[in-house]
Amino acid sequence: MSSQKLFALLLSLATVQMAFSGDSDILTDFHLPPKVTQVDSNFFTFTRMRALVGAPLPTNYTVTTASLPEFPALNGQSVSYAVLRFPAGTSSPLHEHPRSGELLFLVKGHLTVGFVDTADKLFVQKLQKGDMFLFPKGLVHFQYNSRKTIATAISAFGSVNPGTESLPNALFTTGIDDIILAKSFKTDIATIKRLKAGLAPKT
């Protein structure tokens, strides 16, 4: 095969890959759930965030999501939201979203946020109320409230189901062999067992 033909083949494969990345495009105004033929305005309204208004302050980091599982009207619309609440001294676990970037808008308090790119470069920023920060798609990131007051943020995603993979859970609660983990982290099995014990559900 000539180099010109090989280049054309690679270009066409890349184009196909780009066409299939992200949420599927739709050919109608919106998708209806199976066996539903007609909807009214209530279908397009999400009211679960009302529970946050005037609610007691949480004692742990909490996430309230408006994504496809909770809000079926989002199907095909390539957007979802989450409200993140950080009591004093709390953080999100290190995590990533495999299907979307995340645009965080801090509406209350202060947060230290950051992500690591594929060249292992760390980007960190201290945010205050009114600031926004972008976490690129698929990159490991965190949010941390070091202050003594609560912080609240709203995150927008470019997917109805961005997915969230928690690194601590993925590494230490899924059954990966202790020997593999110890070699990966250049430590001993006893240390890995202590890390796993720290993530075990409290009984």
Side-chain angles (χ1 to χ4, degrees):
M1 181 181 292
S2 71
S3 59
Q4 190 173 13
K5 287 182 179 177
L6 180 60
F7 176 75
L9 176 63
L10 291 173
L11 182 62
S12 65
L13 288 173
T15 304
V16 168
Q17 179 62 35
M18 286 178 4
F20 285 102
S21 63
D23 288 359
S24 301
D25 204 0
I26 60 174
L27 301 176
T28 57
D29 294 337
F30 49 87
H31 279 313
L32 293 179
K35 300 181 182 178
V36 174
T37 58
Q38 191 172 359
V39 294
D40 60 18
S41 299
N42 291 320
F43 176 70
F44 303 99
T45 306
F46 186 77
T47 61
R48 292 186 193 172
M49 298 297 183
R50 290 179 186 176
L52 301 179
V53 179
L57 296 180
T59 56
N60 297 306
Y61 162 68
T62 62
V63 181
T64 306
T65 55
S67 58
L68 185 60
E70 302 87 17
F71 193 9
L74 294 178
N75 193 8
Q77 303 302 320
S78 299
V79 66
S80 58
Y81 276 86
V83 175
L84 316 171
R85 302 178 82 199
F86 300 85
T90 62
S91 69
S92 63
L94 289 169
H95 66 283
E96 58 94 13
H97 306 290
R99 295 182 287 276
S100 175
E102 174 182 358
L103 183 59
L104 179 141
F105 175 41
L106 187 60
V107 296
K108 182 176 183 178
H110 296 78
L111 282 179
T112 300
V113 300
F115 68 88
V116 179
D117 72 7
T118 56
D120 294 332
K121 181 177 178 181
L122 175 64
F123 297 83
V124 178
Q125 187 63 268
K126 292 185 183 297
L127 304 181
Q128 61 185 25
K129 179 180 175 181
D131 292 346
M132 299 180 84
F133 191 82
L134 173 68
F135 302 103
K137 177 180 177 179
L139 297 184
V140 174
H141 60 277
F142 63 87
Q143 303 103 4
Y144 171 56
N145 178 11
S146 63
R147 302 293 183 98
K148 295 181 179 178
T149 55
I150 193 167
T152 302
I154 299 172
S155 286
F157 300 92
S159 170
V160 297
N161 191 11
T164 299
E165 183 172 31
S166 163
L167 267 65
N169 287 342
L171 294 171
F172 299 112
T173 69
T174 56
I176 297 174
D177 191 281
D178 289 352
I179 295 172
I180 294 170
L181 290 169
K183 288 185 178 296
S184 295
F185 287 96
K186 296 181 172 48
T187 188
D188 53 58
I189 291 175
T191 300
I192 296 299
K193 289 187 180 299
R194 283 196 300 274
L195 289 168
K196 286 185 172 183
L199 290 170
K202 303 294 186 281
T203 55

